[in-house]
């Protein structure tokens, strides 16, 4: 998967630009930075975003070059989805729920991925690959190449997550924080760039379908034991639209969905 991603970004610009769009609602698009329509400062990143569940609905939109792109990407996306479903069962059981509880709240399920390309930056101290943010989806499975760039915020400081060959990084996203009623926390992270080496990362974002209604699992709410619902219910479409409109604002999008406290 990493090889075909690198081959895609090394194609002539005339081939890559066929997929360019600034429309955040397009299900297959090449773009730059994060959201060029709303942000004031651009980030040092190009990306190809692909929706990939169900694959047959989207694969004909994907790039046809390199020639192996569709076949390899479809196989990878299918394998990562199988991994995620296993993880969701384990997470459900860790919360004291039936193993299919989290999966059953996701509607028809959604899955998309990004192929992120961070070229060498002549002044890396002046920009980010991506600034600090939390993922709006449920769970993210990240494949990295050998170049460091991912950092997570923990105990008041930024910590580099150095790549380990043949491994994934798994991040919880905002929807998991909501469903678990804050028992799992969405991870604040960012991507930094360097002046010497290009970097490629491939996150798979697993999420509810847009029509799914998301809220804390009822089994985790108990007013008498001081465990009230921390978040209101909402459709994932509502959440996703607000996230993109905010263009990675410093404050977390999830805060605007909290139940008001008296």
């Amino acid at each position: 998967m990493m090889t075909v991603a690198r081959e895609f970004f090394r194609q002539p610009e005339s081939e890559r630009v066929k997929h360019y769009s600034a429309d955040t609602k397009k299900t297959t698009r090449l773009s730059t930075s994060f959201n060029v329509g709303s942000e004031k400062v651009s980030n040092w990143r190009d990306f190809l975003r692909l929706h990939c569940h169900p694959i047959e609905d989207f694969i004909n939109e994907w790039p046809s070059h390199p020639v192996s792109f569709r076949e390899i990407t479809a196989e990878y996306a299918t394998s990562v989805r199988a991994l995620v479903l296993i993880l969701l069962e384990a997470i459900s059981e860790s919360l004291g729920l039936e193993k299919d509880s989290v999966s059953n709240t996701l509607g028809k399920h959604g899955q998309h991925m990004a192929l992120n390309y961070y070229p060498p930056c002549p002044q890396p101290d002046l920009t980010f690959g991506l600034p600090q943010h939390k993922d709006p989806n449920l769970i993210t499975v990240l494949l990295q190449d050998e170049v460091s760039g991912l950092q997570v915020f923990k105990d008041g400081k930024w910590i580099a997550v150095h790549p380990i060959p043949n491994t994934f990084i798994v991040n919880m996203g905002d929807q998991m924080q909501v469903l678990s009623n804050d028992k799992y926390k969405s991870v604040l992270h960012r991507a930094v760039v360097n002046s010497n080496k290009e970097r490629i990362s491939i996150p798979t974002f697993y999420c509810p379908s847009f029509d799914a209604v998301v809220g804390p699992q009822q089994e985790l709410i108990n007013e008498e034991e001081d465990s009230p619902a921390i978040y209101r219910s909402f459709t994932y479409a509502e959440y996703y639209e607000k996230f993109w409109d905010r263009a990675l604002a410093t404050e977390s999008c999830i805060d605007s969905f909290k139940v008001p406290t008296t």
Side-chain angles (χ1 to χ4, degrees):
M1 186 64 227
M2 190 62 68
T3 298
V4 80
R6 201 175 303 278
E7 289 174 354
F8 173 82
F9 285 108
R10 287 180 176 173
Q11 293 180 116
E13 182 179 359
S14 59
E15 181 65 35
R16 288 180 282 121
V17 78
K18 294 176 182 178
H19 306 283
Y20 181 83
S21 175
D23 181 0
T24 60
K25 293 182 172 60
K26 285 200 69 172
T27 53
T28 297
R29 69 186 185 101
L30 178 74
S31 193
T32 189
S33 192
F34 177 74
N35 186 351
V36 293
S38 59
E39 62 196 6
K40 296 179 180 178
V41 179
S42 294
N43 303 294
W44 201 260
R45 175 184 79 135
D46 291 335
F47 66 91
L48 177 67
R49 183 171 289 270
L50 307 170
H51 283 235
C52 43
H53 178 72
I55 284 177
E56 59 270 19
D57 287 358
F58 302 107
I59 191 169
N60 290 328
E61 301 176 356
W62 296 354
S64 55
H65 292 88
V67 293
S68 60
F69 186 90
R70 291 180 178 178
E71 178 183 358
I72 290 174
T73 303
E75 181 180 358
Y76 177 80
T78 301
S79 297
V80 172
R81 180 172 185 268
L83 171 63
V84 168
L85 294 178
I86 293 171
L87 291 174
L88 294 185
E89 289 185 352
I91 290 168
S92 291
E93 292 182 332
S94 77
L95 293 169
L97 307 172
E98 296 295 323
K99 69 178 183 179
D100 57 355
S101 289
V102 172
S103 182
N104 286 345
T105 66
L106 306 181
K108 297 183 290 292
H109 292 218
Q111 180 184 348
H112 50 103
M113 58 192 291
L115 280 58
N116 294 323
Y117 176 72
Y118 304 97
C121 179
Q123 294 180 291
D125 54 326
L126 297 182
T127 189
F128 289 103
L130 276 175
Q132 65 180 40
H133 65 284
K134 296 179 179 181
D135 291 344
N137 52 289
L138 181 77
I139 189 170
T140 302
V141 177
L142 176 69
L143 177 66
Q144 304 185 83
D145 67 9
E146 71 282 359
V147 180
S148 291
L150 175 65
Q151 296 181 341
V152 298
F153 193 71
K154 187 176 187 299
D155 300 330
K157 59 184 178 181
W158 289 101
I159 300 172
V161 182
H162 297 297
I164 300 173
N166 303 313
T167 64
F168 292 116
I169 301 292
V170 178
N171 282 347
M172 300 300 164
D174 289 350
Q175 307 312 302
M176 188 67 78
Q177 183 164 335
V178 171
L179 287 171
S180 70
N181 209 35
D182 268 3
K183 289 181 170 57
Y184 280 100
K185 295 298 179 71
S186 189
V187 178
L188 184 63
H189 58 287
R190 67 185 186 184
V192 298
V193 291
N194 70 84
S195 59
N196 299 316
K197 295 180 178 180
E198 66 181 13
R199 175 175 178 258
I200 291 179
S201 69
I202 306 174
T204 293
F205 306 102
Y206 207 83
C207 49
S209 53
F210 282 132
D211 59 349
V213 177
V214 181
Q217 295 280 282
Q218 287 299 316
E219 297 92 333
L220 303 178
I221 299 171
N222 190 325
E223 300 284 350
E224 295 179 359
E225 296 182 6
D226 199 28
S227 297
I230 297 172
Y231 304 96
R232 68 172 176 86
S233 296
F234 50 84
T235 64
Y236 186 56
E238 178 188 359
Y239 195 95
Y240 197 70
E241 182 175 4
K242 183 180 286 288
F243 175 83
W244 278 95
D245 286 346
R246 294 160 66 91
L248 298 187
T250 301
E251 63 274 19
S252 179
C253 181
I254 200 173
D255 292 338
S256 61
F257 290 85
K258 286 186 173 180
V259 175
T261 56
T262 55

